Amino acid sequence: MASRRKFLTGTAAGAVGALAAPAVIAQTGAIKWRLQTYSGAPLGAHVIKPQIDAFNAAANGEMEIELYYADQLVPTGELFRAMQSGVIDAVQSDEATMASPVDIAVFGGYFPFATRYSLDVPSLFSYYGLKEIWEDAYSEVDNVTWLSAGAWDPLHIFTKEPINSLGDMRGKRVFGVPTAGRFLSQYGLIPVTVPWDDVEVALQTGELDGVAWCGFTEAYEVGWADICNYALTNSVTGAWFGSYFANTESWEKVPPHLQELFRMSIDQSHYYRAQWYWGGEAKLRVEGEKMELTSIPADEWATVVKDAESFWDSVAESGERPKKVVDAFKTYAATMEKAGYPYR
């Protein structure tokens, strides 16, 4: 097995170093954890807070998790290092957003056209080998334990000016996740990175022309639909890949029954999100009144789908594990097409 990577030695830099590492209270007291999510508070109220509240109640005083939202303890880009050093105990994020140092990080978040529905994500992990690939990748990273992956919302583009063709993307500055932004930049879209809490102001001031970060449910929930006037119905992929991670030393100090309880609460979170997004996306596309729907014609959008094939192949060439993931995507897509309705 490849040597374990020492991604961080010593304490994390910058904002990370300003925080003291949380201590696990001696066996006579409750275990205290700090968990930070990639999401801001309005979104976090759905994608993680119900889970943490439920876990804390069920732990019955034996363990308590303090929940922090995007950038509250450390900048999102430093989440991985902060967790690895023990400054925080756990993270909910995708790999790409927090710059996870693994060769499969490109698949975290939105990988173009890898999925069509939210159930595609757990199916890929359970039946097509992604769980074992993720475990293998993180086995080479020092002091980080990957726990579980789940699905979030599809990726749509929301803008202040309409997009009715690929040409309309050119020059539009959008806040978005790294991999999707890299793919869409070939059509002239300009990915811009700002802190999550600054997105609304950046849209208002004109620093941003839109967002390519989420689906309809999030756009309405966090207030971006109040500023963006148009919603592109063509989705770049059907579901975001997000994961839960823990500092290995912190995880190993948790007794088995609480480890199992935490895993169960993660599954509860996956289930809650599946309903919230699935129902919310359809309802808001039909009943939402804040944004006008636009579409790129099917024949023009077909060229984007075709371009994704080359993107997949280029990523597959980057290493053995990425190739395994891309091969799983291809096998899965072929299976779904052959299965037909209601799968495709």
Side-chain angles (χ1 to χ4, degrees):
M1 178 179 291
S3 61
R4 295 171 66 86
R5 274 173 282 181
K6 303 290 184 180
F7 183 64
L8 180 73
T9 57
T11 58
V16 175
L19 296 167
V24 175
I25 296 177
Q27 296 166 353
T28 56
I31 298 169
K32 300 284 188 180
W33 262 22
R34 296 194 291 206
L35 184 155
Q36 185 169 313
T37 176
Y38 75 96
S39 70
L43 176 60
H46 291 279
V47 301
I48 192 167
K49 189 176 186 299
Q51 171 214 350
I52 300 304
D53 288 347
F55 175 85
N56 285 340
N60 198 32
E62 294 182 65
M63 182 171 172
E64 181 182 358
I65 299 176
E66 296 176 352
L67 175 60
Y68 296 89
Y69 299 108
D71 304 313
Q72 284 190 338
L73 285 181
V74 297
T76 298
E78 296 180 16
L79 273 178
F80 195 94
R81 292 189 297 160
M83 171 178 55
Q84 191 175 41
S85 68
V87 169
I88 54 179
D89 300 282
V91 165
Q92 179 203 51
S93 180
D94 69 286
E95 283 87 357
T97 298
M98 67 174 185
S100 183
V102 290
D103 53 8
I104 55 169
V106 67
F107 302 108
Y110 291 115
F111 194 77
F113 302 102
T115 59
R116 186 173 297 182
Y117 308 118
S118 55
L119 277 176
D120 290 342
V121 176
S123 297
L124 281 160
F125 275 83
S126 295
Y127 292 100
Y128 289 80
L130 265 59
K131 177 178 182 289
E132 290 74 20
I133 294 171
W134 257 244
E135 288 174 339
D136 183 54
Y138 283 100
S139 71
E140 299 177 2
V141 180
D142 188 52
N143 208 26
V144 169
T145 298
W146 173 82
L147 296 173
S148 179
W152 271 247
D153 50 343
L155 175 60
H156 291 274
I157 302 173
F158 306 104
T159 51
K160 294 190 288 185
E161 298 297 327
I163 295 176
N164 293 296
S165 68
L166 288 178
D168 290 339
M169 288 190 185
R170 189 161 299 281
K172 284 186 169 58
R173 296 157 298 177
V174 298
F175 172 72
V177 290
T179 304
R182 174 180 148 199
F183 173 73
L184 291 169
S185 64
Q186 65 186 299
Y187 310 110
L189 214 64
I190 302 171
V192 178
T193 300
V194 298
W196 194 93
D197 282 337
D198 293 345
V199 172
E200 185 171 347
V201 173
L203 286 167
Q204 292 170 333
T205 61
E207 182 183 351
L208 290 173
D209 300 304
V211 294
W213 166 269
C214 61
F216 284 74
T217 312
E218 287 190 20
Y220 273 80
E221 184 69 24
V222 305
W224 298 341
D226 296 323
I227 306 167
C228 294
N229 302 313
Y230 298 93
L232 184 65
T233 58
N234 309 77
S235 65
V236 179
T237 193
W240 188 79
F241 280 49
S243 286
Y244 284 81
F245 308 84
N247 172 280
T248 301
E249 292 179 3
S250 296
W251 179 247
E252 291 176 348
K253 291 174 183 176
V254 176
H257 71 287
L258 290 177
Q259 287 186 352
E260 188 61 28
L261 180 63
F262 188 59
R263 289 186 184 276
M264 290 169 64
S265 74
I266 289 173
D267 287 340
Q268 177 197 47
S269 181
H270 292 334
Y271 180 64
Y272 177 90
R273 275 184 279 100
Q275 300 175 69
W276 188 61
Y277 283 126
W278 184 254
E281 293 299 303
K283 184 177 178 66
L284 290 170
R285 284 180 66 155
V286 174
E287 300 178 8
E289 298 178 348
K290 294 182 178 181
M291 296 183 289
E292 180 180 335
L293 304 184
T294 66
S295 297
I296 294 174
D299 57 344
E300 192 173 6
W301 191 248
T303 65
V304 180
V305 178
K306 186 68 176 175
D307 290 340
E309 296 178 8
S310 300
F311 185 81
W312 284 22
D313 289 340
S314 67
V315 171
E317 292 172 358
S318 65
E320 181 181 350
R321 267 196 299 255
K323 184 179 185 304
K324 287 182 179 179
V325 177
V326 171
D327 286 346
F329 287 164
K330 290 181 177 180
T331 301
Y332 182 77
T335 300
M336 295 296 104
E337 290 296 337
K338 290 177 182 177
Y341 178 84
Y343 297 96
R344 291 292 184 267

